[in-house]
Tab-separated table of all heavy atoms in Angstrom:
chain	number	residue	atom	x	y	z
Q	2	GLN	N	46.878	145.629	41.460
Q	2	GLN	CA	47.029	145.691	42.909
Q	2	GLN	C	47.745	146.965	43.307
Q	2	GLN	O	48.554	147.504	42.560
Q	2	GLN	CB	47.827	144.483	43.392
Q	2	GLN	CG	47.073	143.182	43.241
Q	2	GLN	CD	47.972	141.986	43.435
Q	2	GLN	OE1	49.104	141.981	42.998
Q	2	GLN	NE2	47.466	140.979	44.106
Q	3	GLN	N	47.447	147.432	44.512
Q	3	GLN	CA	48.060	148.657	44.989
Q	3	GLN	C	48.656	148.468	46.372
Q	3	GLN	O	48.152	147.682	47.175
Q	3	GLN	CB	47.021	149.770	45.064
Q	3	GLN	CG	46.856	150.560	43.779
Q	3	GLN	CD	46.152	151.864	44.036
Q	3	GLN	OE1	45.141	151.910	44.692
Q	3	GLN	NE2	46.696	152.949	43.509
Q	4	LEU	N	49.721	149.209	46.596
Q	4	LEU	CA	50.281	149.300	47.930
Q	4	LEU	C	50.099	150.746	48.380
Q	4	LEU	O	50.510	151.660	47.678
Q	4	LEU	CB	51.771	148.962	47.937
Q	4	LEU	CG	52.175	147.578	47.450
Q	4	LEU	CD1	53.688	147.430	47.512
Q	4	LEU	CD2	51.493	146.497	48.268
Q	5	ASN	N	49.468	150.924	49.522
Q	5	ASN	CA	49.204	152.267	50.020
Q	5	ASN	C	50.218	152.635	51.085
Q	5	ASN	O	50.387	151.913	52.073
Q	5	ASN	CB	47.789	152.339	50.595
Q	5	ASN	CG	46.751	152.119	49.518
Q	5	ASN	OD1	46.789	152.742	48.471
Q	5	ASN	ND2	45.839	151.203	49.758
Q	6	GLN	N	50.892	153.746	50.867
Q	6	GLN	CA	51.879	154.194	51.832
Q	6	GLN	C	51.375	155.413	52.578
Q	6	GLN	O	50.703	156.283	52.005
Q	6	GLN	CB	53.196	154.565	51.128
Q	6	GLN	CG	53.968	153.363	50.638
Q	6	GLN	CD	55.332	153.722	50.112
Q	6	GLN	OE1	55.588	153.552	48.924
Q	6	GLN	NE2	56.204	154.215	50.995
Q	7	SER	N	51.719	155.492	53.854
Q	7	SER	CA	51.402	156.678	54.632
Q	7	SER	C	52.527	156.963	55.609
Q	7	SER	O	53.203	156.039	56.062
Q	7	SER	CB	50.074	156.491	55.380
Q	7	SER	OG	50.202	155.468	56.332
Q	8	PRO	N	52.738	158.254	55.871
Q	8	PRO	CA	52.054	159.371	55.253
Q	8	PRO	C	52.533	159.602	53.821
Q	8	PRO	O	53.536	159.035	53.407
Q	8	PRO	CB	52.448	160.548	56.151
Q	8	PRO	CG	53.801	160.179	56.646
Q	8	PRO	CD	53.783	158.687	56.822
Q	9	GLN	N	51.814	160.439	53.081
Q	9	GLN	CA	52.237	160.783	51.715
Q	9	GLN	C	53.497	161.611	51.749
Q	9	GLN	O	54.375	161.475	50.889
Q	9	GLN	CB	51.143	161.590	51.018
Q	9	GLN	CG	50.125	160.754	50.291
Q	9	GLN	CD	49.257	161.613	49.395
Q	9	GLN	OE1	48.850	162.703	49.770
Q	9	GLN	NE2	48.967	161.119	48.219
Q	10	SER	N	53.554	162.534	52.707
Q	10	SER	CA	54.745	163.365	52.852
Q	10	SER	C	54.889	163.775	54.308
Q	10	SER	O	53.919	163.748	55.062
Q	10	SER	CB	54.671	164.601	51.955
Q	10	SER	OG	53.586	165.410	52.326
Q	11	MET	N	56.103	164.122	54.680
Q	11	MET	CA	56.347	164.551	56.039
Q	11	MET	C	57.547	165.480	56.105
Q	11	MET	O	58.539	165.283	55.395
Q	11	MET	CB	56.512	163.356	56.982
Q	11	MET	CG	57.484	162.320	56.545
Q	11	MET	SD	57.332	160.726	57.406
Q	11	MET	CE	57.119	161.173	59.091
Q	12	PHE	N	57.402	166.485	56.946
Q	12	PHE	CA	58.485	167.411	57.237
Q	12	PHE	C	58.916	167.150	58.668
Q	12	PHE	O	58.074	167.159	59.562
Q	12	PHE	CB	58.014	168.867	57.127
Q	12	PHE	CG	57.739	169.319	55.730
Q	12	PHE	CD1	56.562	168.970	55.094
Q	12	PHE	CD2	58.650	170.108	55.053
Q	12	PHE	CE1	56.303	169.396	53.806
Q	12	PHE	CE2	58.398	170.538	53.765
Q	12	PHE	CZ	57.219	170.183	53.154
Q	13	ILE	N	60.193	166.935	58.864
Q	13	ILE	CA	60.661	166.691	60.229
Q	13	ILE	C	61.915	167.509	60.491
Q	13	ILE	O	62.586	167.972	59.565
Q	13	ILE	CB	60.960	165.197	60.474
Q	13	ILE	CG1	62.048	164.709	59.513
Q	13	ILE	CG2	59.695	164.373	60.328
Q	13	ILE	CD1	62.588	163.369	59.883
Q	14	GLN	N	62.199	167.671	61.765
Q	14	GLN	CA	63.428	168.348	62.168
Q	14	GLN	C	64.577	167.347	62.196
Q	14	GLN	O	64.375	166.164	62.529
Q	14	GLN	CB	63.265	168.945	63.571
Q	14	GLN	CG	62.277	170.089	63.659
Q	14	GLN	CD	62.829	171.382	63.087
Q	14	GLN	OE1	64.043	171.532	62.917
Q	14	GLN	NE2	61.947	172.326	62.780
Q	15	GLU	N	65.756	167.812	61.853
Q	15	GLU	CA	66.940	166.970	61.952
Q	15	GLU	C	67.049	166.401	63.366
Q	15	GLU	O	66.832	167.108	64.350
Q	15	GLU	CB	68.185	167.801	61.629
Q	15	GLU	CG	69.475	167.002	61.598
Q	15	GLU	CD	70.673	167.838	61.200
Q	15	GLU	OE1	70.487	169.028	60.881
Q	15	GLU	OE2	71.799	167.304	61.209
Q	16	GLY	N	67.345	165.124	63.462
Q	16	GLY	CA	67.487	164.484	64.760
Q	16	GLY	C	66.251	163.709	65.207
Q	16	GLY	O	66.331	162.870	66.107
Q	17	GLU	N	65.111	163.995	64.576
Q	17	GLU	CA	63.869	163.301	64.933
Q	17	GLU	C	63.847	161.897	64.331
Q	17	GLU	O	64.517	161.611	63.345
Q	17	GLU	CB	62.653	164.074	64.425
Q	17	GLU	CG	62.362	165.339	65.198
Q	17	GLU	CD	61.082	166.009	64.711
Q	17	GLU	OE1	60.500	165.526	63.718
Q	17	GLU	OE2	60.681	167.004	65.312
Q	18	ASP	N	63.031	161.037	64.938
Q	18	ASP	CA	62.799	159.708	64.382
Q	18	ASP	C	61.609	159.767	63.421
Q	18	ASP	O	60.709	160.597	63.566
Q	18	ASP	CB	62.503	158.708	65.497
Q	18	ASP	CG	63.697	158.514	66.427
Q	18	ASP	OD1	64.825	158.906	66.047
Q	18	ASP	OD2	63.492	157.974	67.532
Q	19	VAL	N	61.619	158.876	62.433
Q	19	VAL	CA	60.592	158.857	61.398
Q	19	VAL	C	59.976	157.462	61.315
Q	19	VAL	O	60.703	156.462	61.412
Q	19	VAL	CB	61.216	159.198	60.020
Q	19	VAL	CG1	60.195	159.033	58.904
Q	19	VAL	CG2	61.792	160.597	60.021
Q	20	SER	N	58.670	157.417	61.142
Q	20	SER	CA	57.988	156.139	60.921
Q	20	SER	C	57.066	156.257	59.722
Q	20	SER	O	56.357	157.247	59.582
Q	20	SER	CB	57.160	155.753	62.148
Q	20	SER	OG	57.995	155.415	63.218
Side-chain angles (χ1 to χ4, degrees):
Chain Q
Q2 292 168 321
Q3 272 197 312
L4 300 179
N5 295 310
Q6 287 187 245
S7 65
Q9 271 192 319
S10 63
M11 51 196 317
F12 289 79
I13 60 168
Q14 292 285 342
E15 184 177 356
E17 287 184 355
D18 295 344
V19 174
S20 290

